Amino acid sequence: MTKTLAQLSYFTLFIFLFSACKKDDTTSQQWEDLANKIREAIAQLIATEPCTDISKWNIEKVANYWCGHSYFPMHKNIKAKFDKLWNEYIDLQSKAEKAGVKEGIIYELCEENILHQTEPTQLICENEKAKLLYIADLSLEESKAQIIPVKIKIDTYLANLTCNGIDNWTTTILLKDCGYDHLPYLRTADVTEIKKDVARYNSLKINIMKHEKPDCSTGRYIYPTGITCVNNKPVVELSE
């Protein structure tokens, strides 16, 4: 174990013992600060393993305590230490959440109003360090090229939708340069693929807008109020 990791483990142990003796009045922010130190220690751990052969690395997907997942470059030499640190991190996040509830903090449910892709797109070696690349790392030209086939898939999905009733229909957001389109989908159907496509499209669109910086000062938000069936097609009703 490196000196930094060893110091962090002693620090964690001290916090636990100190809290036990104090009837645990540690604040949610204090737990979060300690959790962030564990997260920093994970980054330091990964950096200690030289990356010269990318075939010996993989992308590690781990569940967050509250919502979604995190992704890390992973090598078998550091996997056991990583697992230990991640378990400590999740435990500290749990303590932060419990303390937050006592403090009156309201934690929102794990729902996304705007779907976006959180998974990395590539794992590379850079300067002998393992690194994950995301859609945000794509150039404007790459984003524009990749968004075209995704939009075609979404348009095809929408063209093939039919409905004979309004039960179990809901909407999701597809980003535009300024504003949103609201797409209908059936909750009871297998919507995994279309959600992935919408998430990828939105992430690519965010990256494009980051580069092009469209003027959206005159934009206004139109929100969905329901879905109706018109000629056996689902139509999203909108209102300002």
Side-chain angles (χ1 to χ4, degrees), residues 53-230:
D53 183 356
I54 199 62
S55 67
K56 296 185 182 298
W57 289 78
N58 64 278
I59 298 175
E60 184 81 5
K61 177 182 178 181
V62 289
N64 295 326
Y65 171 72
W66 193 249
C67 296
H69 296 83
S70 291
Y71 301 86
F72 299 92
M74 189 54 55
H75 192 284
K76 65 179 182 179
N77 290 348
I78 59 173
K79 181 68 165 64
K81 291 180 179 178
F82 169 84
D83 288 343
K84 181 177 182 298
L85 286 170
W86 187 253
N87 288 334
E88 290 182 21
Y89 174 79
I90 292 297
D91 183 63
L92 291 168
Q93 287 282 296
S94 172
K95 286 178 168 61
E97 184 262 340
K98 290 175 182 176
V101 170
K102 292 179 181 178
E103 295 163 7
I105 297 175
I106 299 174
Y107 294 90
E108 296 183 2
L109 297 176
C110 296
E111 295 181 355
E112 293 180 300
N113 291 326
I114 301 178
L115 295 172
H116 60 282
Q117 182 175 325
T118 58
E119 299 89 345
T121 58
Q122 193 177 0
L123 169 63
I124 64 170
C125 290
E126 185 178 90
N127 299 323
E128 295 193 356
K129 303 293 183 184
K131 181 180 180 180
L132 296 178
L133 297 180
Y134 294 84
I135 284 181
D137 296 306
L138 294 175
S139 68
L140 175 60
E141 292 72 22
E142 290 170 324
S143 296
K144 284 187 170 182
Q146 291 190 24
I147 204 171
I148 294 172
V150 182
K151 184 61 164 62
I152 291 173
K153 288 180 66 178
I154 293 172
D155 288 343
T156 301
Y157 169 83
L158 293 173
N160 291 329
L161 281 181
T162 60
C163 73
N164 53 19
I166 61 174
D167 292 340
N168 296 315
W169 284 92
T170 188
T171 63
T172 190
I173 286 173
L174 195 73
L175 293 176
K176 300 192 296 186
D177 283 345
C178 294
Y180 318 86
D181 282 329
H182 295 275
L183 275 55
Y185 69 89
L186 196 60
R187 287 194 188 96
T188 54
D190 182 5
V191 297
T192 302
E193 195 61 31
I194 186 60
K195 280 190 171 183
K196 286 182 179 179
D197 290 337
V198 170
R200 183 166 182 81
Y201 179 92
N202 285 339
S203 294
L204 289 165
K205 193 65 178 176
I206 289 170
N207 206 38
I208 291 170
M209 290 189 292
K210 178 183 71 177
H211 288 283
E212 293 186 335
K213 297 179 174 60
D215 179 10
C216 298
S217 57
T218 59
R220 58 184 182 178
Y221 182 70
I222 306 295
Y223 62 92
T225 58
I227 293 178
T228 59
C229 288
V230 178

Side-chain angles (χ1 to χ4, degrees), residues 12-62:
T12 304
L13 178 60
F14 171 76
I15 287 292
F16 288 159
L17 293 175
F18 182 70
S19 297
C21 295
K22 283 188 64 181
K23 205 176 177 178
D24 198 1
D25 57 356
T26 309
T27 67
S28 60
Q29 187 58 57
Q30 288 172 326
W31 286 121
E32 281 286 353
D33 291 344
L34 187 55
N36 290 336
K37 290 182 182 297
I38 295 286
R39 193 88 181 207
E40 292 170 6
I42 289 174
Q44 293 169 11
L45 172 66
I46 294 170
T48 62
E49 186 66 31
C51 183
T52 55
D53 183 356
I54 199 62
S55 67
K56 296 185 182 298
W57 289 78
N58 64 278
I59 298 175
E60 184 81 5
K61 177 182 178 181
V62 289

